[in-house]
Amino acid sequence: GVATSFQTSDLLSQDKFWHNELQHNELHRRLFGVSLELDETHSQDTRLDVQGLLPGHAYSVMRVHECRGKRFVIVRNPWGNSEWKGAWGDGSKEWTNEWLSALQELDHSFGDDGQFVMEYKDFLTVFSQIDRATIFDPSWSMSWHWLNIPPQPLSRLWVYGDIQFHISINRETSAVIVLSQMDSRYFRNLQNTEWHLDFVIHKVDTTPLSEPIATSGISLGSWRSVSCELNLQAGEYLVLPRIEAAYNFIIRKHNRVFNELTTAWAKVLPHDPPTDDQTGGDTQVPDTQGDKGPSEDTKEGGEENKKDKNTGDEAKSYPQVFTPDLLLGLRVYTQNGAVANVRGEVQY
């Protein structure tokens, strides 16, 4: 299956999510999990709980049910204990004599077994993240293509179009498109960094390309893959990924310090140095002065100043540092006999 994550605060319609997702999870073969997070000050404090619920801990959504004008969600703690102590929790004041008769309808009984009942509005208020997994049955088929992305300067900013995947669909179908990198837990010697991934999808029917018909979601807590669920008509599609090294934000703030560190790392990383064909034969840092004239770090006449103006020490030159190779894969799941042909290419 394929899992996606999203924040409960990002739901555009709580009614549609109830009717189209939670009530029909068996029809769509989906599993749901939820978790809650506190602010950064308390998120790592395992001693805290929110009316019996633990932050940073995953809970399973067992089923939902509408009963006597209220919407209920039956949730389970996989530990088999430690339950919700708020409204509609086991033995709470909401369970009056009138409502105790509804326990059988909800298929629930009191006891410290990890299963508890929440009203839907409390469910969305207390839990901050929802994880949804789509389970594929034999009616689904998968096509895929993996690309080897050559080394590039570590501080390079990637844009949509540097990498392209072409998809050809022979008939209308529900589809799930997944962009993924290798799992660093199992391929530590082949991939030494993790990348942020996202992509946009275009329908190839106009020149220039039309606006994207869909974009990838965000996989909270996991950088390994991003995905998108949509309906596709027969035709040609273009998937444009964008990748960014997980530490690029450090480069922007501390470029010189980081280059010193990564220069040392590059000496031990298990990858071959880039060839002239991969780098265009030019590994020099481009001149960023433009038409602004000589910088403050150059002497009159254009000679480089050998001293650092702040410390008086000998100025250092920082070699260009390159990323390891990246294996990037696109998987396309289609349904009911639809076939997807997938191919990819690197454009830079």
Side-chain angles (χ1 to χ4, degrees):
V2 173
T4 55
S5 302
F6 49 90
Q7 299 286 346
T8 53
S9 58
D10 290 338
L11 290 175
L12 298 180
S13 173
Q14 296 180 1
D15 286 338
K16 287 185 177 180
F17 183 68
W18 173 268
H19 291 296
N20 299 340
E21 298 279 350
L22 293 177
Q23 279 196 320
H24 299 289
N25 62 331
E26 293 184 2
L27 175 65
H28 296 305
R29 299 183 63 84
R30 286 175 175 162
L31 302 176
F32 289 91
V34 289
S35 60
L36 64 101
E37 299 294 341
L38 302 179
D39 58 69
E40 293 182 358
T41 305
H42 302 96
S43 60
Q44 302 302 320
D45 192 341
T46 57
R47 298 170 299 175
L48 297 177
D49 65 73
V50 179
Q51 293 186 287
L53 301 181
L54 301 173
H57 179 55
Y59 294 83
S60 302
V61 177
M62 306 302 293
R63 58 191 175 276
V64 299
H65 191 77
E66 287 195 37
C67 179
R68 304 179 187 180
K70 291 185 179 293
R71 295 174 175 176
F72 294 104
V73 184
I74 292 82
V75 185
R76 185 177 186 275
N77 184 344
W79 289 351
N81 53 40
S82 300
E83 301 179 3
W84 165 248
K85 299 177 182 177
W88 300 101
D90 290 0
S92 67
K93 62 182 179 62
E94 285 76 17
W95 292 106
T96 61
N97 290 333
E98 176 188 359
W99 276 99
L100 284 173
S101 60
L103 285 173
Q104 184 175 1
E105 185 177 348
L106 295 174
D107 191 19
H108 179 70
S109 59
F110 293 165
D112 189 18
D113 56 0
Q115 180 173 291
F116 52 90
V117 176
M118 298 182 74
E119 196 170 353
Y120 182 51
K121 61 182 180 65
D122 293 331
F123 172 84
L124 294 179
T125 300
V126 173
F127 290 112
S128 56
Q129 179 176 322
I130 298 176
D131 300 295
R132 180 185 64 190
T134 300
I135 307 301
F136 299 120
D137 61 24
S139 68
W140 290 83
S141 59
M142 181 184 72
S143 303
W144 70 93
H145 187 93
W146 284 88
L147 276 178
N148 181 47
I149 311 301
Q152 285 292 297
L154 189 63
S155 56
R156 184 183 194 276
L157 295 181
W158 299 77
V159 297
Y160 295 118
D162 286 342
I163 305 163
Q164 297 183 3
F165 288 96
H166 300 265
I167 303 174
S168 177
I169 301 289
N170 67 336
R171 56 183 291 184
E172 182 180 358
T173 179
S174 298
V176 180
I177 299 176
V178 184
L179 179 71
S180 58
Q181 58 188 311
M182 291 190 301
D183 189 342
S184 60
R185 295 175 298 177
Y186 303 109
F187 298 97
R188 293 182 184 274
N189 293 329
L190 296 179
Q191 185 164 313
N192 293 278
T193 187
E194 288 183 311
W195 302 76
H196 292 297
L197 308 176
D198 68 287
F199 63 84
V200 296
I201 305 173
H202 292 270
K203 180 77 164 63
V204 183
D205 55 3
T206 59
T207 303
L209 289 176
S210 59
E211 290 295 316
I213 62 172
T215 61
S216 59
I218 300 174
S219 291
L220 301 172
S222 173
W223 294 340
R224 191 170 62 196
S225 65
V226 290
S227 62
C228 177
E229 297 185 22
L230 72 168
N231 291 320
L232 295 179
Q233 304 292 326
E236 303 291 326
Y237 297 87
L238 186 63
V239 177
L240 302 179
R242 183 176 60 179
I243 64 176
E244 182 179 21
Y247 39 63
N248 258 5
F249 69 96
I250 303 177
I251 296 173
R252 299 191 186 105
K253 293 184 178 180
H254 309 289
N255 191 50
R256 175 174 292 188
V257 174
F258 197 79
N259 265 315
E260 286 185 308
L261 293 174
T262 50
T263 299
W265 295 345
K267 295 178 181 178
V268 296
L269 290 179
H271 73 277
D272 295 327
T275 64
D276 286 345
D277 291 337
Q278 293 169 331
T279 64
D282 180 14
T283 59
Q284 300 299 316
V285 178
D287 178 17
T288 58
Q289 293 297 324
D291 298 328
K292 297 180 181 179
S295 69
E296 297 179 3
D297 293 333
T298 59
K299 289 184 178 180
E300 185 177 354
E303 296 182 1
E304 291 185 359
N305 190 347
K306 302 298 183 181
K307 299 287 186 179
D308 187 290
K309 66 178 182 179
N310 294 321
T311 65
D313 297 333
E314 290 293 328
K316 297 180 180 179
S317 61
Y318 297 92
Q320 187 75 285
V321 179
F322 286 81
T323 63
D325 288 9
L326 166 66
L327 282 177
L328 195 65
L330 190 78
R331 307 195 308 272
V332 181
Y333 297 87
T334 53
Q335 197 173 27
N336 297 326
V339 177
N341 292 317
V342 186
R343 61 183 177 88
E345 57 187 349
V346 178
Q347 289 293 308
Y348 57 82

